[in-house]
C-alpha cells in the first residue's frame, strides 16, 4: 500500500514502533510523542505514550498546561497536591490508578506519577495542552 503524505511532508499513517523514543535521562522511562508540534504540526495539544518500569516515576512537578492521563496497562500511584484554591500546595494525596482509568491534573497542581506495581510496566497516554 502506498504511503500517503500530507502537504507538510508528514505521513498520514505512522507505526508507533518506528517513532523516536527518549527517556530524558530517567531510567525506566520510555517516552514517545505520538502527536505534537514537531512531527504533526499540532498547535494546541500533544499526545504522548509513556511507559514506566516497576518502581520508576516522574519528578514531582507542576505546570500551567491542561493534562489528562489515560492508563492503558499496569497500575500505580498518582500523587496530587491541590493548589487550585490555596497559595501553597497542600500535602500530596495518593490516588490508585489502574488500566482503563483516567486521571485529570488540574492546571498548576503539583503531581507525580509512580509505578508502584512491582510486577508490571505502567503505561499511559498523556494528553497535554501545548505550553504557550
Ligand atoms: C476498558 O473499558 C472499555 C469500556 O468499558 C472496555 O471495552 C475495555 O474492554 C476495557 N479494557 C480493559 C483492558 O479493561
Amino acid at each position: 500500500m502506498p504511503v500517503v503524505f500530507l502537504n507538510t511532508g508528514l505521513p498520514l499513517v505512522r507505526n508507533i514502533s518506528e517513532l523516536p523514543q527518549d527517556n530524558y535521562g530517567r531510567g525506566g522511562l520510555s517516552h514517545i510523542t505520538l502527536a505534537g508540534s514537531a512531527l504533526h504540526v499540532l498547535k494546541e495539544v500533544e499526545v504522548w505514550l509513556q511507559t514506566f518500569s516497576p518502581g520508576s516515576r516522574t519528578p514531582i512537578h507542576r505546570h500551567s498546561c491542561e493534562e489528562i492521563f489515560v492508563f492503558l496497562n499496569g497500575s500505580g500511584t498518582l500523587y496530587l497536591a491541590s493548589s487550585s484554591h490555596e497559595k501553597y500546595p497542600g500535602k500530596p494525596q495518593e490516588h490508585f490508578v489502574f488500566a482503563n482509568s483516567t486521571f485529570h491534573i488540574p492546571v498548576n497542581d503539583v503531581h507525580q506519577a509512580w509505578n508502584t506495581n512491582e510486577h508490571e510496566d505502567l503505561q499511559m497516554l498523556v494528553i497535554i495542552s501545548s505550553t504557550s
Side-chain angles (χ1 to χ4, degrees):
M1 206 161 54
V3 179
V4 178
F5 291 92
L6 298 169
N7 58 13
T8 53
L10 300 169
L12 272 178
V13 178
R14 287 170 196 242
N15 183 340
I16 292 175
S17 305
E18 292 166 4
L19 292 175
Q21 217 183 109
D22 205 339
N23 70 2
Y24 300 104
R26 303 194 74 83
L29 169 69
S30 156
H31 171 106
I32 300 172
T33 300
L34 300 182
S37 56
L39 289 169
H40 309 80
V41 220
L42 287 192
K43 294 183 188 68
E44 310 284 338
V45 290
E46 297 214 347
V47 183
W48 305 336
L49 180 66
Q50 291 193 326
T51 311
F52 294 87
S53 64
S56 63
R57 55 191 193 258
T58 67
I60 300 168
H61 65 289
R62 71 197 293 176
H63 44 64
S64 58
C65 314
E66 297 179 317
E67 184 173 44
I68 188 155
F69 299 145
V70 180
F71 294 95
L72 303 176
N73 284 297
S75 63
T77 307
L78 216 300
Y79 293 90
L80 182 79
S82 186
S83 58
S84 313
H85 309 290
E86 292 156 34
K87 191 165 177 191
Y88 302 103
K91 187 178 175 324
Q93 303 292 310
E94 267 184 39
H95 303 273
F96 180 66
V97 293
F98 47 91
N100 246 15
S101 67
T102 68
F103 197 94
H104 169 238
I105 309 290
V107 169
N108 282 322
D109 276 8
V110 175
H111 57 279
Q112 178 177 41
W114 195 319
N115 183 357
T116 46
N117 179 326
E118 292 170 16
H119 306 289
E120 277 185 290
D121 284 354
L122 176 66
Q123 188 171 54
M124 66 209 214
L125 280 180
V126 179
I127 295 114
I128 184 165
S129 61
S130 302
T131 36
S132 50

